[in-house]
Amino acid sequence: MTAGYPQVRLRRLRLTAARRRLFDAPMPGPEKLVWPVFVRPGDGAREPIASLPGQYRYGVDALLRDLEGPVRAGIGGLLVFGLPDEGRKDDTGAEAWNDRAAAQRAVRAVKRAYPDLAVFTDVCLCAYTRHGHCGPLRPDGQVDNDAACAALARVAVSHAAAGADVVAPSAMMDGQVAALRQALDEAGAADTLLMSYSTKFASAMYGPFREAEQSAPQSGDRRGYQASTADLRTALRESALDEAEGADLLMVKPALFYLDVLARLRERTALPIAAYNVSGEYAMLVAAAERGMGDLRAMVRESLFAIRRAGADLILTYWASRLGEILEGSDAEVRP
Ligand code: PBG
Ligand code: ZN
């Protein structure tokens, strides 16, 4: 006899909150969440970001204050994005490897104030170049791949020297992982982890971030280096190559529109995988909730579950600063 209805009734497993507690996987804990933050010159500054409600551009002192809550909640780490004064941008992005720039100062201050918190840094040039691309431009307007790799390696070394636990190149240049690993090892930073933004798509979901960072390309777009949404095989090769080049962690970005990529990558690698729940994904839920189109807490929880279920070990998410609101309480109280 094949087991089926009416003997089998799957609703028995989920009929009550008590039973659901027994069989449901837990929410990803705060220790799996990493908070991306923007740091700028001007130590006391705490400037609201219009496109990312609830997120700020921080001076170093203000960041230390606002970190207290998330650290007490037990977040897994911080991902630092540095912003230069507008006047310090140039065509090569040299301010990115200035040891006294906001990102490097923030890393030092955070490691001093919260030595047990893992500090990640974004390694890219787009916030530091006048043209807003992720590396220096060739005369034909394309990013100069190998020059970008050399510059990114200098940035990573300066972040490691400031005390970063994890450096994370996000420029999508060929060979950037190998270039960073070699430079880190030569600089005596063999213990610094390297998390590659290994499969990073040319996505329309980065808009709020680019407003926060004022890093939108002045002309053209990033499709000449970021992975194509419509080419899955090459997107997966990007992660495979970065693994071969010595990445310690891989990443899929964005997260929610690319859960299939995350799930496939999970089957192909034994490396830890991070998923970046990007600015547009955050802003989308904030906007929907503000317009009464859904319950913010329930939508956020469901989306974090989905990212975890698809195979992410770590989730880079702006929600990490709002865990009190998002994670507290039992699932029974959250009405989908
Ligand atoms: C820059 C960078 C971007 C993001 C992280 N690093 C923007 C881009 O590539 O255009 C996006 C993060 C987000 O949208 O939250 N290399
Ligand atoms: Zn960039």
Side-chain angles (χ1 to χ4, degrees):
M1 186 192 88
T2 53
Y5 175 84
Q7 294 81 17
V8 176
R9 291 173 182 268
L10 296 184
R11 288 188 57 206
R12 278 198 289 265
L13 285 162
R14 57 178 187 264
L15 206 59
T16 64
R19 294 183 195 188
R20 290 192 296 273
R21 271 198 300 279
L22 287 174
F23 304 117
D24 283 357
M27 268 300 283
E31 71 281 2
K32 303 300 183 194
L33 308 182
V34 175
W35 181 28
V37 291
F38 303 95
V39 295
R40 45 156 282 178
D43 291 353
R46 186 174 184 274
E47 193 187 336
I49 301 169
S51 57
L52 286 174
Q55 304 295 322
Y56 301 83
R57 296 185 195 90
Y58 287 108
V60 172
D61 293 343
L63 173 62
L64 294 182
R65 267 196 305 280
D66 273 20
L67 248 183
E68 214 178 295
V71 167
R72 212 173 319 110
I75 61 166
L78 189 68
L79 171 62
V80 173
F81 288 91
L83 301 171
D85 279 325
E86 194 58 35
R88 298 197 68 88
K89 295 191 181 191
D90 62 18
D91 287 340
T92 58
E95 179 69 2
W97 59 86
N98 177 349
D99 287 326
R100 283 183 298 276
Q104 287 81 349
R105 292 188 52 237
V107 171
R108 286 197 179 84
V110 169
K111 288 307 289 188
R112 210 175 305 123
Y114 303 102
D116 289 338
L117 183 68
V119 174
F120 296 57
T121 60
D122 182 83
V123 175
C124 204
L125 300 164
C126 45
Y128 301 89
T129 53
R130 252 195 304 259
H131 46 72
H133 280 286
C134 299
L137 297 180
R138 300 187 315 207
D140 67 358
Q142 294 284 0
V143 173
D144 183 335
N145 189 88
D146 300 4
C149 285
L152 293 165
R154 295 181 73 166
V155 179
V157 167
S158 87
H159 290 173
D165 295 276
V166 187
V167 293
S170 65
M172 289 300 286
M173 295 297 126
D174 287 321
Q176 64 180 13
V177 169
L180 262 64
R181 188 70 269 164
Q182 189 187 341
L184 289 166
D185 291 353
E186 284 169 10
D191 286 342
T192 305
L193 284 160
L194 209 164
M195 174 174 76
S196 178
Y197 284 65
S198 54
T199 293
K200 172 175 173 177
F201 290 96
S203 172
M205 302 305 283
Y206 307 150
F209 172 96
R210 291 180 190 170
E211 198 216 293
E213 264 214 334
Q214 281 136 9
S215 63
Q218 296 303 299
S219 64
D221 54 46
R222 301 207 207 286
R223 285 181 294 180
Y225 39 106
Q226 297 180 346
S228 169
T229 295
D231 182 356
L232 172 67
R233 287 191 303 259
T234 307
L236 290 170
R237 285 180 75 196
E238 290 284 354
S239 278
L241 272 178
D242 286 4
E243 178 166 357
E245 286 180 28
D248 298 295
L249 294 87
L250 301 176
M251 188 201 295
V252 173
K253 174 188 174 190
L256 293 173
F257 285 2
Y258 298 91
L259 294 175
D260 59 326
V261 180
L262 189 52
R264 279 172 210 232
L265 185 57
R266 178 68 293 161
E267 288 167 6
R268 289 167 193 228
T269 181
L271 265 54
I273 306 175
Y276 200 140
N277 183 206
V278 300
S279 60
E281 298 173 330
Y282 174 92
M284 188 162 62
L285 297 192
V286 171
E290 270 173 4
R291 296 177 63 183
M293 293 170 173
D295 176 71
L296 184 67
R297 190 163 162 251
M299 291 189 295
V300 172
R301 291 168 69 102
E302 187 171 333
S303 67
L304 293 176
F305 259 124
I307 296 168
R308 172 70 165 198
R309 201 176 56 235
D313 298 289
L314 296 180
I315 305 176
L316 307 160
T317 181
Y318 302 95
W319 301 116
S321 68
R322 301 173 61 174
L323 292 184
E325 256 168 282
I326 304 303
L327 290 186
E328 83 188 359
S330 76
D331 288 339
E333 298 160 22
V334 180
R335 237 180 296 282

